[in-house]
Amino acid sequence: MKKHVYLLLLVFSQVLQAQTPVDLSGFKKNGATVTVSKQLITIHWPAGAAGTGKMVLNLDGAQPLFNSIQLSRTNASAEVAANLDPVFILRTGKRTLSPSSGGWDVFFDRVPTRPYTTELVEFSKRKAGVSSEGTHTIIRVGEMKTPLFTGHLEITLYNGSPLFNIAAVLSTQKDSTAILYDAGLISRKDNWKNIAWSDVKNEMQHVKPAPDMAANDLEVKYRTIIGENETGSLAVFPAPHQYFYPLDEAFNLKFTWYGNNYLNLVPGFAIGIRQDPIGDKRYVPWFNAPPGTAQRLNFFCLLSADKAAGALAEVKKFTHNDSYAPLPGYKTMASHFHNEFISSVVLSGKPVPEKPEFVDVLKKAGLDIVKLAEFHGPGHPKGPDSPRLKELHALFDQTRRLSDTSFLLLPGEEANNFYGGHWLAFFPKPVYWVMSRKPDEPFVTETAEYGKVYHVGDKQEMLKLLELENGLAWVAHARTKASTGFPDKYRNETFFTSDTYLGAAWKAIPADLSWQTLSKRVLNLMDDMANWGLKKHVIAEADIFTITHQNEMYAHLNVNYLQLDKLPDYNEGWQPVLDAVRKGKFFVSTGEVLIPSFDVNGKKAGETLAVPASGKTTVTMQLNWTFPLSFAEIVSGDGDKVYRHRINLVQTKAFGAQTFRWPVNLAGRKWVRVEVWDIAANGAFTQMVWL
């Protein structure tokens, strides 16, 4: 009898030891509920109009993690998916780092041309915990590792939406590391009646899974792949901008996949997101992974009780159907496109289309104003006069022809002469100028064919031209690419301190998945310029080449919302556009977070506030958003240091609009601005209020 009791106690002890402990100490009531029974964690969360979401996680190492994922309405539950496991594939390469290339801000790198590894991230369930942060419920499970990285799995549920995020949070101690990842969900049973997606022509496609179906990489629109069954659909998609590391081209590189044995690494049928390791075959920098940083290799899932088309319609709402939403009192402006329509089409002898594809693409993206950057490679910016002036004439003719009452296509160039580094020139009307001048040649001449023509021979004459024609200049891709070291190297030059020099342009270079934001490079420069005592602004730039409907354009775009009531008429000039930019009457956005109004004690961006002796001020912001917000940051400086006051916004839910008022002490400060970021690292930032 004693022997039997001993055996039973031994078996019971082994069962207890095998059961994964679940730490609930960090979970506070937030509208979601969590229960633990043996190896199962069950979470219910309010999913807004979709009803109530239910997720059952199985911590048994021999079973799939996602035991069941459900949606319920009025006491009727529907299981959308079951028996799924997350899967992550990590590519690890070597970053080229040097001060001359910008250090971790490097763009001119070709990671896939050097040896790199492609490995399945191992996952175990040895521990688990559930915590809450505002309206978010976070489940952390087990351990994840590759030979160089260690970490854990993180699942985040968002109250008010059938949306959740799955992330492998991994760190390495190895220096100079660059990474890339693919991710998705493996089915341990026949989950899906169909796999569905939108093709690049915006038409839904379906395929029935089969046990022997090989893995397929898909060229899709909206970056989304969907598993569909009789009771609903589950959409898998990445963060719309963060997942796309900077490239020169916005090519659609087949960012989703489905099928069996993906890369000969994934055991079973899966759907997911992916990156092509060789990118656009130009400069391919991947993501930075500095030592000790927590890299979030993540993707989103959206549950729907509808078929795949209905699920995709819900996903598209997060990016306004991949377009920039209209905002009363504002016009959207994007800059820095090397489409080279003039050289490649107009002057090449090819037929000139009445309605070029690139114009249709930009219009459908919700852009009201587009500033080109032609002749970046082709063309004759330094002359001789004959081809140079002919090129400018064609540029002015075509931008005039392709502009209308709702779309303003503006000429522009990335000048790259005189000042150092790369920079853009922007005039309020067509200006004929040649970027060279012979010793005996006058600065300005009058011609019968083109009227006034300028010949610019140095930086002093460049400044004079900008002053005479009321133009603007700004540094392109500051502190990286061919502008590494700029504008720092000429911060004290007359042309830079001049009012004709706007400041810098922002694009998400570099990419780092440990950040809750997109690139900080130019935001840091923005603060530095203000602490230098200069009233400069930062404008968004796209800096891409080919523009087609097939491309993944939205991921690589950003926009300036200019305070303009109406579009100028091309023939009358576009001085109001330059005035809004010059005065800082705009905010920059990736599109998902909008700032309809912003002021500090009543003073708006670009204006100057007399701070009371107490330093007490109030920042007032009206915000619109799609993804739930993460945080806002009030950034200020005293001419030496930068101060950051962070406001947690995790109480917000998806698709909101609210006016916030935040008290902040600005005693001794000389400037202030605000950034706002959401859970997918989409964001918006204001220009400075000067103090």
Side-chain angles (χ1 to χ4, degrees), residues 404-543:
D404 54 41
T405 56
S406 62
F407 181 73
L408 193 58
L409 185 64
L410 298 181
E413 295 180 81
E414 188 173 1
N416 309 340
N417 289 298
F418 314 120
Y419 285 172
H422 285 196
W423 57 278
L424 272 75
F426 191 27
F427 295 103
K429 63 181 181 180
V431 173
Y432 287 94
W433 64 298
V434 183
M435 301 181 199
S436 66
R437 186 173 68 81
K438 298 172 184 176
D440 58 346
E441 196 169 25
F443 172 63
V444 58
T445 58
E446 288 287 340
T447 69
E449 186 172 2
Y450 301 111
K452 189 180 295 183
V453 175
Y454 294 93
H455 287 83
V456 178
D458 56 32
K459 58 188 176 185
Q460 289 81 15
E461 292 178 350
M462 188 68 239
L463 172 57
K464 184 178 179 181
L465 170 59
L466 290 168
E467 289 173 338
L468 289 172
E469 294 293 351
N470 205 21
L472 283 175
W474 59 83
V475 59
H477 40 78
R479 294 177 171 175
T480 190
K481 300 182 82 172
S483 293
T484 300
F486 297 101
D488 306 69
K489 292 179 181 178
Y490 52 62
R491 56 178 280 190
N492 296 316
E493 294 258 14
T494 302
F495 70 82
F496 183 67
T497 58
S498 161
D499 289 342
T500 67
Y501 208 104
L502 176 75
W506 177 84
K507 178 180 177 174
I509 306 173
D512 187 322
L513 296 167
S514 69
W515 296 339
Q516 291 179 280
T517 71
L518 296 179
S519 174
K520 303 176 182 181
R521 171 184 52 89
V522 173
L523 296 175
N524 291 337
L525 172 61
M526 188 179 191
D527 302 335
D528 289 344
M529 290 188 296
N531 271 344
W532 295 344
L534 302 173
K535 293 186 176 181
K536 303 297 184 186
H537 302 298
V538 164
I539 193 169
E541 68 176 351
D543 193 7

Side-chain angles (χ1 to χ4, degrees), residues 213-537:
M213 181 177 284
N216 288 273
D217 301 339
L218 285 176
E219 191 177 67
V220 306
K221 193 168 177 61
Y222 309 112
R223 305 160 297 280
T224 302
I225 189 161
I226 304 163
E228 176 190 77
N229 59 36
E230 296 292 347
T231 54
S233 302
L234 186 151
V236 172
F237 57 99
H241 301 281
Q242 183 196 44
Y243 186 60
F244 299 85
Y245 62 89
L247 293 171
D248 282 326
E249 296 282 7
F251 295 150
N252 193 316
L253 300 173
K254 299 183 177 181
F255 296 110
T256 64
W257 56 276
Y258 72 89
N260 285 286
N261 197 27
Y262 178 63
L263 295 179
N264 294 319
L265 290 173
V266 177
F269 187 93
I271 60 175
I273 61 172
R274 65 175 297 276
Q275 286 279 11
D276 190 317
I278 63 172
D280 59 12
K281 302 180 182 178
R282 292 165 63 93
Y283 293 101
V284 186
W286 289 14
F287 296 102
N288 287 340
T293 57
Q295 299 292 317
R296 285 184 57 86
L297 321 183
N298 73 97
F299 62 96
F300 287 92
C301 297
L302 187 84
L303 299 175
S304 173
D306 295 332
K307 297 300 182 183
L312 182 61
E314 294 301 310
V315 172
K316 288 161 61 177
K317 290 179 181 178
F318 286 99
T319 59
H320 304 292
N321 293 348
D322 278 15
S323 68
Y324 293 96
L327 195 59
Y330 291 85
K331 298 298 179 183
T332 56
M333 173 183 166
S335 173
H336 202 155
F337 294 93
H338 299 304
N339 192 44
E340 303 300 355
F341 178 67
I342 303 304
S343 297
S344 301
V345 179
V346 177
L347 298 178
S348 69
K350 299 176 184 176
V352 179
E354 181 182 351
K355 296 180 179 179
E357 181 181 14
F358 83 94
V359 172
D360 191 48
V361 171
L362 297 172
K363 284 183 174 182
K364 287 182 177 177
L367 298 175
D368 302 315
I369 307 165
V370 170
K371 180 192 177 299
L372 299 176
E374 291 284 280
F375 315 129
H376 185 60
H380 302 80
K382 295 184 179 182
D385 282 13
S386 178
R388 166 64 173 171
L389 299 178
K390 181 179 179 182
E391 288 161 357
L392 286 176
H393 185 71
L395 174 62
F396 301 150
D397 270 357
Q398 290 298 320
T399 49
R400 180 185 296 107
R401 179 180 75 87
L402 296 170
S403 295
D404 54 41
T405 56
S406 62
F407 181 73
L408 193 58
L409 185 64
L410 298 181
E413 295 180 81
E414 188 173 1
N416 309 340
N417 289 298
F418 314 120
Y419 285 172
H422 285 196
W423 57 278
L424 272 75
F426 191 27
F427 295 103
K429 63 181 181 180
V431 173
Y432 287 94
W433 64 298
V434 183
M435 301 181 199
S436 66
R437 186 173 68 81
K438 298 172 184 176
D440 58 346
E441 196 169 25
F443 172 63
V444 58
T445 58
E446 288 287 340
T447 69
E449 186 172 2
Y450 301 111
K452 189 180 295 183
V453 175
Y454 294 93
H455 287 83
V456 178
D458 56 32
K459 58 188 176 185
Q460 289 81 15
E461 292 178 350
M462 188 68 239
L463 172 57
K464 184 178 179 181
L465 170 59
L466 290 168
E467 289 173 338
L468 289 172
E469 294 293 351
N470 205 21
L472 283 175
W474 59 83
V475 59
H477 40 78
R479 294 177 171 175
T480 190
K481 300 182 82 172
S483 293
T484 300
F486 297 101
D488 306 69
K489 292 179 181 178
Y490 52 62
R491 56 178 280 190
N492 296 316
E493 294 258 14
T494 302
F495 70 82
F496 183 67
T497 58
S498 161
D499 289 342
T500 67
Y501 208 104
L502 176 75
W506 177 84
K507 178 180 177 174
I509 306 173
D512 187 322
L513 296 167
S514 69
W515 296 339
Q516 291 179 280
T517 71
L518 296 179
S519 174
K520 303 176 182 181
R521 171 184 52 89
V522 173
L523 296 175
N524 291 337
L525 172 61
M526 188 179 191
D527 302 335
D528 289 344
M529 290 188 296
N531 271 344
W532 295 344
L534 302 173
K535 293 186 176 181
K536 303 297 184 186
H537 302 298

Side-chain angles (χ1 to χ4, degrees), residues 4-18:
H4 289 306
V5 171
Y6 174 77
L7 288 174
L8 285 171
L9 288 173
L10 180 63
V11 170
F12 184 64
S13 174
Q14 290 174 338
V15 169
L16 286 177
Q17 290 175 4

Side-chain angles (χ1 to χ4, degrees), residues 550-629:
Q550 183 179 11
N551 280 3
E552 176 48 66
M553 294 300 301
Y554 184 76
H556 295 275
L557 290 178
N558 47 44
V559 77
N560 305 283
Y561 275 83
L562 307 186
Q563 290 182 29
L564 291 172
D565 291 326
K566 65 177 183 177
L567 281 184
D569 182 278
Y570 186 102
N571 293 312
E572 296 176 1
W574 44 94
Q575 187 66 55
V577 174
L578 274 76
D579 289 344
V581 173
R582 192 191 305 269
K583 295 174 182 177
K585 299 299 182 183
F586 66 98
F587 67 88
V588 172
S589 176
T590 57
E592 299 78 10
V593 181
L594 302 181
I595 309 175
S597 67
F598 158 70
D599 70 76
V600 184
N601 280 15
K603 294 295 184 179
K604 301 181 183 299
E607 298 177 353
T608 300
L609 169 69
V611 179
S614 65
K616 292 182 179 180
T617 62
T618 300
V619 172
T620 303
M621 293 191 84
Q622 182 184 352
L623 298 175
N624 298 348
W625 63 88
T626 58
F627 288 89
L629 296 178

